[in-house]
Amino acid sequence: MLDTTLYNTEEILNLLKLEQIGEDRFRGQSHFMGSPNVFGGQVLGQSLYAASVTVEQRRPHSLHSLFILPGNHRLPIEYEVERVRDGGSFSTRRVVAYQEGRRIFVTSISFQNEEQGLSHQKAMPAAADPESLPSSIKTWKDNAALLKRPFQPVPVDFRADHAGDIYGGHQSGTTKQVWTRAPMPLPDDVLTHETLFAYVSDYGLLWTSLQPHGIKMGDPRLQIASLDHTIWFHRPFRMDEWLLFSMDSPNASGGRGLCFAHIYNQDGVLVATTAQEGLIRLREKKA
């Protein structure tokens, strides 16, 4: 039986569906993630929804985003879609997110007709069977209690060899593998899976750049925030089937960390790639 205290899948799926308030204009609500700021994955997923509504038949193949200002989770977000181009095979949309008249986020999304062509991929690395791994969610809930913070439910399950990695603060290498899957069957609607993937793609990716330094969640010196985010959609996938996020952080410098993730299904098919650079600033403790 699904533990409803750990997961909020239906809430997030509803959150990612926007209200249309005008021609190519949409409004979305936010939810509390333990911070006064809006979760980056939320605006990624909502922007993808807004852009997709304005494109017929074609599916997204790339998304390139900049986080400009922190969003306030207590206020709605308005999205304006610019129909940049509709060509013979590709469509381009630009989406700007606003709160109180200020731009907080901008993304460019490209869509393509389904097409056959040359095909190769990076091989999936060796990985543990997700069914053999414990869920990370209960560990996160336990650690949140230790940090005296309210636990926030999540829309998908996460499983890793070291389930408490973002809380542990132990030093390790620059790579990490995490399996993820929605805890319940989802509708067949492709957009549901794509927007939920965009939401989830912002979970824990940037933390990979902190592993070599032994920095843990809750460290009072840490200021962390997404600066930009890119997704390339390669092949079809479902979010209610196991997906492996194989993550790597090739660089950290100048108060920023760079991270990549190759995402595979259980058959070893590369379905997507993501990249993110974020602020990982350590502030000096006040005397």
Side-chain angles (χ1 to χ4, degrees), residues 74-230:
R74 296 182 178 86
L75 300 175
I77 302 174
E78 292 194 4
Y79 296 88
E80 291 189 0
V81 180
E82 178 186 357
R83 301 187 185 219
V84 178
R85 181 176 184 270
D86 287 303
S89 301
F90 292 86
S91 293
T92 304
R93 298 292 185 265
R94 182 173 182 265
V95 184
V96 181
Y98 294 88
Q99 275 191 330
E100 298 185 310
R102 300 188 305 166
R103 294 181 179 93
I104 65 169
F105 173 86
V106 62
T107 186
S108 295
I109 306 174
S110 183
F111 298 79
Q112 182 186 13
N113 289 335
E114 185 176 353
E115 187 174 323
Q116 298 300 314
L118 303 175
S119 181
H120 71 270
Q121 68 164 71
K122 182 176 182 178
M124 177 178 169
D129 180 350
E131 299 293 349
S132 71
L133 299 172
S135 172
S136 301
I137 311 305
K138 187 177 185 303
T139 302
W140 292 358
K141 185 176 183 179
D142 293 342
N143 278 284
L146 291 174
L147 292 172
K148 297 181 180 179
R149 293 182 175 182
F151 169 76
Q152 303 303 322
V154 295
V156 296
D157 195 8
F158 294 99
R159 299 192 180 189
D161 286 324
H162 44 291
D165 57 335
I166 62 175
Y167 290 98
H170 60 278
Q171 281 187 287
S172 58
T174 60
T175 63
K176 179 171 62 177
Q177 291 185 342
V178 178
W179 288 98
T180 186
R181 182 182 67 176
M184 62 181 67
L186 300 180
D188 291 334
D189 173 47
V190 177
L191 185 55
T192 294
H193 296 265
E194 291 168 344
T195 55
L196 182 57
F197 177 88
Y199 181 97
V200 170
S201 70
D202 195 33
Y203 259 100
L205 180 56
L206 189 54
W207 289 93
T208 313
S209 64
L210 297 173
Q211 285 184 177
H213 310 283
I215 306 298
K216 65 180 179 179
M217 180 179 284
D219 190 312
R221 301 169 299 160
L222 181 63
Q223 182 183 4
I224 185 168
S226 302
L227 296 174
D228 55 51
H229 194 97
T230 296

Side-chain angles (χ1 to χ4, degrees), residues 1 27 31 44 73 87 122 127 135 191 193 203 212 227 241 249 284:
M1 182 178 294
R27 179 186 293 122
H31 72 127
L44 289 166
H73 80 274
K122 182 176 182 178
S135 172
L191 185 55
H193 296 265
Y203 259 100
L227 296 174
E241 297 176 353
S249 177
E284 294 296 327

Side-chain angles (χ1 to χ4, degrees), residues 215-261:
I215 306 298
K216 65 180 179 179
M217 180 179 284
D219 190 312
R221 301 169 299 160
L222 181 63
Q223 182 183 4
I224 185 168
S226 302
L227 296 174
D228 55 51
H229 194 97
T230 296
I231 302 173
W232 293 274
F233 297 94
H234 305 312
R235 298 172 179 88
F237 60 85
R238 293 186 63 94
M239 287 298 294
D240 51 6
E241 297 176 353
W242 285 116
L243 296 176
L244 175 70
F245 281 68
S246 180
M247 294 176 262
D248 175 50
S249 177
N251 184 73
S253 60
R256 305 182 314 276
L258 176 66
C259 301
F260 290 89

